[in-house]
Amino acid sequence: MRPSQSGNLPLELNAFVGRDTELAELATALEAGRLVTVTGVGGVGKSRLAVRAAARNRLRDGAWLVDLTALRDADLLEHAVADALGLTDHTKRPPRQVLLGHLAERELLLVVDGFELLVDACASLVRDLLLHSPGLRVLAAGRRPLEIEGERLFPLAPMPGPDAAALFTDRAVTGLPGFALDDGNRTDVMELCRRLDGIPLAVELAAGRLRALSPAQLLARLDDRFRLLTGVRRDALPRHQTLRTAIGWSHELCAPRERLLWSRLSVFAGQFDLEAAEYICAGDGLPADDVLDVLNELLAQSVVNREDGPSGVRYRMLDTVRAYGADWLEAAGESGRLRRRHRDWYMGLATWCELDWFSPRQPEVAALVDLELPNLRAALEFCLTEGDQAHLGQYLAGTLWFYWAGCGRLAEGRHWLDRALELDGGHDDSRLKALWVLGYVAVLQGDTVAALAALHECRDGAERTGSALAAAYAEHRIGCLALVTDDLPRAETLLRSALEQYREIGELNSNVLMGQTELAMALAFRGELAVAVKLCEEVRRVCDDHGERWTLAYALYVLGFAAWTRGEAGTARELLAESLRLDHRFHDLLGTVLSIELLALFTAAEGDPAEAAVLQGAAASIWPSVGLPLFGSVHFGGPHLMCERQAREALGDARYEECVRAGAKLGLDAAVTRALGDGPGNERTRRLPRQEGRGGDGLQQGELRPGQRA
């Protein structure tokens, strides 16, 4: 689910116990400094305290959580921050530049959690963001400081005895209804919390054992576990030893199969579902049919957390618990085998999602890949760091084309595709697929040089290996490049050729329909509206038959353009509004901004030049995250120039620029709402001119129309 404009802080699923003093002190620290880092041992409650404190902030643009616990690649740090902020960038601009532009005039609190494995990269990024964003405040939570100028440290101590006992009681009740702190158990509970040093994670793990043991039994067994787990460095801090002992004690209390599953679950990055756990973790002492029962025991002991969402029940391990399990997995010699099984599962998931993208389940596929992105990243990383797995990395990066191009992930897709193609995988089919996908991504980013290099290599490789499929895709994407660079005759020739090749090999999917839509766009720009409409109506029928909606949005854009050019203003607006709704649903910024540009023109012709200028300002603020505005194309840019001319003539330069500036301040959701006329500021009745001898754009016949050259 995408974040809202006010922030993305998670809802609390259980009670926040104690920490009143710390919350008050942390609020004071945040008022006094722009960077506060909550430090302390793992499991002491840094993340929970930071999120609770952030929820109380009153900054204009809200509080936003960036969870880095599952991230291992410093090159993806800026992508992770942008994703948490709800940003989507299609360009080849450095992600840091995108973040700086977004935060420059905002007042918000950024909560950065779990940065320890990326401390240097995170420190550099936070420093740059604070230097260039005067309204930004950062609340970091980690086991060590960022160590940059202006940082205020907030060391978080373990909970005092009464608070720890209250936490123990609260968590115990969830697994053992009716449990209460009374005269019969109070002494044991207080001693147990003291022996666990009041570390919340250890206290919660202890409370999870009350299904099997009383507080007195827990306390009696604690001595044995402390003596058993002494495999830490002598120079380690005592609190580090204490946490490892607490987690290790919980580990020792688990049955052998529970320990085995604990270690194997550590292979997941972020959330996972039951089916993935059953496939990846079963075998060698743990039958697949038993995984659910063993997982249920780990849930009862708070080793694994359950998370409910729109996609159903999913699970997550706390990072500290996961890291402990990973150590055991490595010691058992199972790490390589489990990572390969993890890779195989997520390659299968990506393959299924690619096929299911061309179906009524497109939105569900997009949501699923959003959820599984940390695991897909882990699978990609494994493929690209193992010497004999590069071809699998190329296959996986290419298979996710629908996500990179269709769900606003062009920049990250470019990252993985570039990395994969730097390696020699030794498998032509995988490399050729990655090449045409890279070419596609680069076309949409406006990177002509990279696009041509990748697509020509793909075409040459297809000729060498006899791959008709790769040849068709290369031809298609070179034709798409010709379209956005205004070489319409060449675009038509190449796109027709690609479509014929697709038919010969029996290929039909969203890419093929997009090729037909792009051909229709080229023809519409050349004034061949009847043929263009026929092509798009055919696309529309096939989309309806298969439940496809992403490509349909682009077909509706072309149909709306054609209707407008014929003077059918009402029909044009309806088509473009539906196109915009679909694009926004998939977070496709390119389709979104193209539709807003055309709707701005419609709005000007309907007699509201001020609102049209606002929409142009909103579009102008989106384009930097997409690429070269309107591809630098005369044809794509025609509606924009026409709208600007009309609005300036009606408003005057000063008022026009004022409206554009107002539009540039809108967020993406607000811009879409305004373009659709659904917002509270859009109660006006649209005027759809139907004057004799005039088109829907209000121009005299024979005047320059959208996309036509003078």
Side-chain angles (χ1 to χ4, degrees):
M1 181 177 294
R2 295 279 166 168
S4 70
Q5 286 184 300
S6 61
N8 68 340
L9 298 181
L11 298 176
E12 294 181 337
L13 300 180
N14 51 27
F16 186 92
V17 179
R19 300 294 198 192
D20 292 337
T21 300
E22 290 89 340
L23 282 169
E25 293 174 349
L26 186 53
T28 300
L30 281 169
E31 291 176 0
R34 296 180 58 215
L35 169 61
V36 178
T37 302
V38 181
T39 60
V41 63
V44 79
K46 303 180 294 294
S47 301
R48 189 73 185 269
L49 182 73
V51 170
R52 170 54 73 102
R56 298 181 173 186
N57 94 93
R58 294 293 182 269
L59 292 179
R60 183 187 66 202
D61 296 306
W64 301 80
L65 173 65
V66 182
D67 185 357
L68 301 176
T69 54
L71 195 65
R72 298 295 180 268
D73 186 350
D75 290 338
L76 294 176
L77 174 60
E78 287 90 349
H79 294 296
V81 177
D83 186 42
L85 289 169
L87 300 180
T88 308
D89 188 72
H90 292 253
T91 71
K92 60 179 180 178
R93 291 187 304 159
R96 185 167 301 196
Q97 182 180 342
V98 175
L99 289 171
L100 291 173
H102 176 74
L103 295 172
E105 298 182 5
R106 284 176 168 80
E107 295 179 8
L108 59 80
L109 176 64
L110 194 65
V111 183
V112 181
D113 187 28
F115 59 80
E116 292 89 347
L117 294 179
L118 303 170
V119 63
D120 292 337
C122 194
S124 171
L125 176 60
V126 168
R127 179 180 181 276
D128 279 1
L129 295 181
L130 288 170
L131 283 174
H132 295 89
S133 310
L136 174 67
R137 292 177 182 269
V138 177
L139 176 57
R143 300 178 191 179
R144 53 164 295 175
L146 287 169
E147 296 182 346
I148 60 179
E149 186 177 357
E151 182 181 32
R152 290 174 178 263
L153 297 183
F154 191 92
L156 184 60
M159 301 181 81
D163 281 354
L167 176 65
F168 181 92
T169 303
D170 181 85
R171 301 303 190 257
V173 170
T174 64
L176 189 65
F179 178 84
L181 194 64
D182 56 32
D183 292 340
N185 61 31
R186 182 175 285 105
T187 299
D188 290 333
V189 169
M190 294 297 293
E191 178 63 11
L192 182 64
C193 292
R194 186 191 69 79
R195 297 283 296 277
L196 294 174
D197 284 341
I199 296 174
L201 174 60
V203 171
E204 291 184 339
L205 289 171
R209 299 302 303 175
L210 283 187
R211 290 186 176 185
L213 301 170
S214 69
Q217 289 174 311
L218 284 170
L219 187 59
R221 296 168 69 90
L222 193 58
D223 281 337
D224 291 338
R225 298 311 173 267
F226 280 144
R227 286 195 295 267
L228 177 64
L229 297 173
T230 57
V232 296
R233 300 195 328 268
R234 293 185 180 274
D235 62 345
L237 294 175
R239 63 178 181 272
H240 293 165
Q241 295 175 344
T242 301
L243 179 63
R244 183 169 180 83
T245 299
I247 299 175
W249 162 70
S250 181
H251 184 268
E252 287 298 309
L253 287 177
C254 289
R257 293 198 308 171
E258 294 164 12
R259 299 179 205 164
L260 184 62
L261 182 58
W262 180 346
S263 68
R264 291 177 178 178
L265 289 175
S266 70
V267 77
F268 289 102
Q271 293 183 346
F272 58 91
D273 60 23
L274 177 61
E275 289 75 17
E278 288 175 330
Y279 174 83
I280 295 169
C281 300
D284 293 342
L286 184 61
D289 291 342
D290 293 348
V291 169
L292 176 57
D293 291 337
V294 180
L295 178 61
N296 188 55
E297 289 302 313
L298 294 179
L299 286 164
Q301 298 170 46
S302 300
V303 173
V304 176
N305 295 327
R306 167 178 168 154
E307 299 187 354
D308 296 315
S311 64
V313 176
R314 295 176 66 81
Y315 309 97
R316 183 193 296 270
M317 298 180 78
L318 294 173
D319 185 55
T320 307
V321 176
R322 186 204 62 78
Y324 188 88
D327 289 342
W328 280 83
L329 189 69
E330 188 68 33
E334 283 201 314
S335 182
R337 183 179 71 85
L338 264 292
R339 290 185 72 191
R340 285 190 292 274
R341 289 181 69 83
H342 178 274
R343 175 209 63 203
D344 291 345
W345 174 266
Y346 285 100
M347 284 186 64
L349 178 76
T351 301
W352 173 83
C353 285
E354 181 188 29
L355 294 172
D356 224 30
W357 181 253
F358 189 53
S359 80
R361 292 177 294 279
Q362 259 184 346
E364 289 78 7
V365 169
L368 177 60
V369 180
D370 266 339
L371 284 174
E372 297 290 11
L373 186 56
N375 283 304
L376 289 164
R377 286 169 173 165
L380 281 162
E381 187 65 34
F382 179 69
C383 292
L384 300 180
T385 53
E386 294 292 321
D388 59 346
Q389 307 294 313
H391 66 289
L392 298 178
Q394 292 168 356
Y395 170 83
L396 183 52
T399 296
L400 289 169
W401 66 265
F402 63 92
Y403 188 63
W404 312 137
C407 301
R409 298 282 184 170
L410 287 177
E412 180 164 350
R414 179 73 178 269
H415 166 84
W416 290 114
L417 290 160
D418 281 338
R419 280 190 60 186
L421 288 167
E422 288 173 357
L423 304 174
D424 182 7
H427 289 65
D428 290 324
D429 289 344
S430 295
R431 183 171 186 84
L432 292 175
K433 184 170 189 177
L435 281 168
W436 75 253
V437 176
L438 174 59
Y440 183 20
V441 168
V443 167
L444 297 181
Q445 288 183 313
D447 191 351
T448 302
V449 174
L452 284 174
L455 294 171
H456 284 166
E457 182 182 345
C458 180
R459 187 172 60 184
D460 293 344
E463 292 177 358
R464 175 175 51 81
T465 62
S467 173
L469 185 63
Y473 277 105
E475 189 97 334
H476 175 183
R477 293 307 164 194
I478 296 173
C480 179
L481 180 60
L483 170 65
V484 300
T485 54
D486 285 333
D487 190 349
L488 299 185
R490 178 171 168 76
E492 180 181 353
T493 299
L494 291 169
L495 290 170
R496 287 190 184 279
S497 172
L499 290 170
E500 180 59 32
Q501 293 176 57
Y502 286 142
R503 281 190 288 270
E504 289 176 357
I505 60 179
E507 185 82 347
L508 179 61
N509 56 28
S510 298
N511 274 306
V512 175
L513 294 180
M514 188 66 79
Q516 186 162 327
T517 301
E518 290 159 352
L519 173 60
M521 198 173 294
L523 293 170
F525 286 157
R526 299 183 71 180
E528 299 180 42
L529 296 181
V531 181
V533 168
K534 182 178 180 181
L535 287 170
C536 284
E537 289 294 356
E538 183 179 338
V539 169
R540 197 174 185 177
R541 286 192 296 272
V542 177
C543 285
D544 287 342
D545 288 344
H546 291 268
E548 214 283 354
R549 288 295 176 264
W550 173 62
T551 305
L552 175 62
Y554 286 87
L556 293 174
Y557 173 88
V558 179
L559 289 171
F561 178 91
W564 177 259
T565 307
R566 292 195 305 256
E568 301 168 4
T571 299
R573 175 170 283 281
E574 291 175 3
L575 290 165
L576 261 294
E578 181 60 20
S579 175
L580 178 55
R581 291 188 185 97
L582 291 172
D583 284 322
H584 191 49
R585 184 180 186 184
F586 287 108
H587 315 294
D588 185 338
L589 280 188
L590 175 59
T592 296
V593 72
L594 286 173
S595 293
I596 290 175
E597 290 278 11
L598 209 49
L599 286 167
L601 174 61
F602 298 177
T603 302
E606 290 161 8
D608 197 342
E611 183 68 10
V614 168
L615 294 180
Q616 286 206 306
S621 70
I622 298 171
W623 275 114
S625 296
V626 177
L628 183 63
L630 294 157
F631 309 110
S633 162
V634 171
H635 298 91
F636 281 97
H640 177 92
L641 294 176
M642 186 179 299
C643 178
E644 179 178 350
R645 186 189 70 196
Q646 292 186 14
R648 282 188 184 276
E649 289 177 354
L651 299 173
D653 289 343
R655 175 64 176 152
Y656 172 81
E657 296 294 346
E658 179 185 355
C659 292
V660 167
R661 288 192 296 271
K665 295 178 182 178
L666 295 174
L668 181 61
D669 290 343
V672 170
T673 298
R674 293 287 287 263
L676 294 173
D678 295 337
N682 289 274
E683 293 93 350
R684 67 187 186 282
T685 301
R686 298 228 179 252
R687 296 192 293 276
L688 304 178
R690 293 280 193 270
Q691 299 179 34
E692 186 71 25
R694 301 178 73 88
D697 52 8
L699 297 176
Q700 294 289 348
Q701 291 181 351
E703 287 189 62
L704 179 67
R705 292 189 178 277
Q708 290 182 321
R709 298 177 184 270

